[in-house]
Amino acid sequence: MSSDRKKWSIRSSDVAKRAHNPIRQIVDKLKLDPKATKEFISLSVGDPTIFGNFNVDKSANEAIVHQLNTFKANGYPPAHGTLAARQAIATKFGVPEAPLTANDVIVANGCSGALEMCLNVLCDRGQNILLPRPGFPLYASLAETRYVETKYYDLVPEKNWEVDVVQLEKLIDSKTACILVNNPSNPCGSVYSKEHLKAILAVASKHHVPIIADEIYWDLVFKGNTFYPMATLTTDVPILSVGGLAKKWMVPGWRVGWITVHDRHGAFAEILEGLLNLSQIILGPNSVIQAALPEILLKTPESYYAGNIKQLELNTKISVDAVSKIPGLSPVKPQGAMYMMVGIDIPKFKDISSDVEFSQKLMAEESVLCLPGECFNYPNYIRIVITPTVDRLEEAYKRMALFCARHHK
Ligand SMILES: Cc1ncc(COP(=O)(O)O)c(C=O)c1O
């Protein structure tokens, strides 16, 4: 059979055409003024390493150097992760109410890779997935690329961003493949109570819909709050929990994530096999870090985690105090993670008509970058990343106050 092509005509695939990162399109509009004299301060990227104040514990570096020097961790690891790495994840995250063995763990390329596998194994083209609004934009990007419909359940700011459970239930139909729950939350910094998580689980149980629990901010919670892994609160809802080293260990660039499979009464038998199949396509994270994972997960001293929480709590206090005093802005106090959502009272501003315009002008005039709520499907808010150093945060809020004073009616 001969080809009838007479010239080059190469089109990108359907999948590539559908692939998009909604943050990118918005952030591209937020330009630094080339004539700006003020030093640029980014409150926009959820990467705690940028300012040098949050580091991985030294013991993790030592574990990696040790593994390098054995010359034994340089080969291809098994596709779903080495037994030692999976065993360490099972030991760290398994509890009597939700026990884990190494066979229930799949190692992935970051939590993003873990999420991709979860969506791929649970959702077919034409089905739908229930996502939080506001929420982390990767969920929708993954779903839409795969022709999976996205339906949004609202988080209620007046209730510390709890899920509108009544609305959640109404969204479920015969095509609902799963519910994604993110706790603690990006972008909200919320941490759900046991009772609230149980209310969500009750809906999932009633309609037999499995859950993907994005628990990447595992235990990053402030005084007065407790983190409950979702799988510990149910005996009948099957759950895929995803996590990684990026946030709790402050090394997003290491690209290590995982899925823990919490089956209930065999409901996930096919799903575990499907995940193993999917993991065969592209190998997980690099062999050296996998080899060091048992040390990193099981030997990092408790004082390291406590130190990070203390710093985040201080930054939260500084952020809430400063932003509450700025007319036109209303922060929702975070309970964990590393973000704060701030409501903008748009009608009170004389020349700002949206959160995107607020962020654009703040960037152009004050060289401070915050992501508009639009990036998280939630207009009239901005999201502030609270990991910068105290002096950078204070400077950013000083500039934000000047900016709002100029633009407020
Ligand atoms: C809620 C949430 N899930 C997943 C991820 C992705 O994590 P990773 O960097 O390990 O891919 C992030 C990163 O910011 C996140 O905030």
Side-chain angles (χ1 to χ4, degrees):
M1 207 166 80
S2 68
S3 158
D4 58 0
R5 295 179 200 177
K6 300 283 185 290
K7 59 181 172 92
W8 290 107
S9 172
I10 306 169
R11 301 270 169 267
S12 71
S13 70
D14 225 20
V15 168
K17 286 198 180 79
R18 294 178 75 85
H20 73 289
N21 177 347
I23 291 195
R24 217 33 296 142
Q25 288 155 359
I26 297 167
V27 171
D28 286 347
K29 292 186 202 157
L30 308 175
K31 299 249 163 59
L32 189 65
D33 181 345
K35 293 196 278 303
T37 50
K38 292 181 179 171
E39 193 194 339
F40 171 56
I41 304 177
S42 170
L43 307 181
S44 67
V45 190
D47 179 346
T49 69
I50 291 177
F51 291 83
N53 49 334
F54 286 101
N55 278 311
V56 68
D57 190 66
K58 211 164 140 242
S59 61
N61 286 355
E62 285 162 4
I64 287 178
V65 171
H66 169 73
Q67 289 302 332
L68 266 178
N69 287 329
T70 64
F71 293 88
K72 286 188 178 150
N74 297 333
Y76 287 125
H80 62 308
T82 64
L83 178 61
R86 289 182 290 113
Q87 183 62 60
I89 294 165
T91 305
K92 175 81 184 166
F93 299 104
V95 288
E97 311 85 69
L100 288 170
T101 70
N103 291 339
D104 304 315
V105 179
I106 314 268
V107 183
N109 286 298
C111 187
S112 308
L115 282 163
E116 182 182 43
M117 275 197 262
C118 290
L119 260 87
N120 276 346
V121 79
L122 287 176
C123 308
D124 262 327
R125 187 178 176 130
Q127 286 191 295
N128 62 65
I129 181 170
L130 308 193
L131 300 177
R133 174 171 57 206
F136 184 53
L138 175 67
Y139 310 141
S141 299
L142 289 172
E144 284 161 11
T145 315
R146 288 158 181 75
Y147 298 87
V148 174
E149 187 194 349
T150 49
K151 289 182 163 190
Y152 292 94
Y153 61 85
D154 287 319
L155 309 183
V156 185
E158 294 77 18
K159 292 185 169 175
N160 271 327
W161 301 106
E162 279 190 353
V163 174
D164 179 341
V165 181
V166 174
Q167 182 211 18
L168 174 77
E169 179 163 12
K170 285 192 191 138
L171 291 174
I172 296 174
D173 62 22
S174 59
K175 292 192 171 159
T176 303
C178 58
I179 302 169
L180 191 144
V181 180
N182 174 214
N183 176 56
S185 154
N186 175 13
C188 302
S190 48
V191 178
Y192 293 150
S193 67
K194 189 193 277 188
E195 292 67 34
H196 187 55
L197 289 167
K198 281 189 167 178
I200 299 169
L201 284 162
V203 170
S205 170
K206 182 171 160 196
H207 297 277
H208 300 95
V209 182
I211 285 184
I212 300 174
D214 183 345
E215 297 178 327
I216 180 85
Y217 298 95
W218 182 282
D219 223 9
L220 269 181
V221 302
F222 308 150
K223 217 185 224 151
N225 298 283
T226 307
F227 168 69
Y228 296 97
M230 245 187 150
T232 62
L233 303 178
T234 175
T235 53
D236 72 328
V237 179
I239 294 182
L240 297 179
S241 168
V242 294
L245 287 184
K247 312 293 174 171
K248 195 170 158 63
W249 288 268
M250 308 276 176
V251 281
W254 289 10
R255 310 307 305 134
V256 179
W258 49 76
I259 305 169
T260 54
V261 180
H262 297 273
D263 195 1
R264 295 288 181 260
H265 317 296
F268 262 170
E270 204 177 284
I271 295 306
L272 182 56
E273 199 182 318
L275 284 170
L276 291 171
N277 290 346
L278 289 169
S279 77
Q280 303 293 324
I281 298 175
I282 295 183
L283 291 188
N286 85 67
S287 54
V288 180
I289 301 189
Q290 284 202 51
L293 209 56
E295 286 277 317
I296 298 171
L297 295 187
L298 306 174
K299 298 279 171 62
T300 298
E302 283 305 315
S303 56
Y304 167 76
Y305 307 117
N308 285 343
I309 296 278
K310 209 167 147 203
Q311 223 188 125
L312 287 168
E313 276 174 337
L314 174 66
N315 285 9
T316 301
K317 183 174 176 348
I318 288 167
S319 302
V320 173
D321 288 353
V323 178
S324 319
K325 290 191 191 114
I326 303 178
L329 299 186
S330 317
V332 185
K333 189 176 173 201
Q335 302 159 296
M338 37 184 76
Y339 312 99
M340 178 168 87
M341 286 288 269
V342 176
I344 314 169
D345 194 351
I346 297 284
K348 297 262 170 66
F349 288 84
K350 53 186 179 220
D351 51 1
I352 288 175
S353 60
S354 71
D355 51 307
V356 175
E357 195 177 4
F358 183 96
S359 298
Q360 271 171 338
K361 290 189 165 163
L362 180 66
M363 177 66 173
E365 294 175 27
E366 296 293 342
S367 305
V368 171
L369 180 58
C370 301
L371 288 186
E374 195 75 56
C375 291
F376 307 96
N377 212 358
Y378 210 72
N380 300 337
Y381 277 76
I382 49 168
R383 185 198 72 170
I384 290 177
V385 174
I386 56 163
T387 53
T389 52
V390 168
D391 72 310
R392 292 296 74 195
L393 278 181
E394 285 176 343
E395 172 64 20
Y397 298 139
K398 209 159 77 188
R399 293 191 210 165
M400 216 179 270
L402 289 172
F403 172 83
C404 288
R406 277 200 304 279
H407 293 276
H408 208 251
K409 274 182 189 157

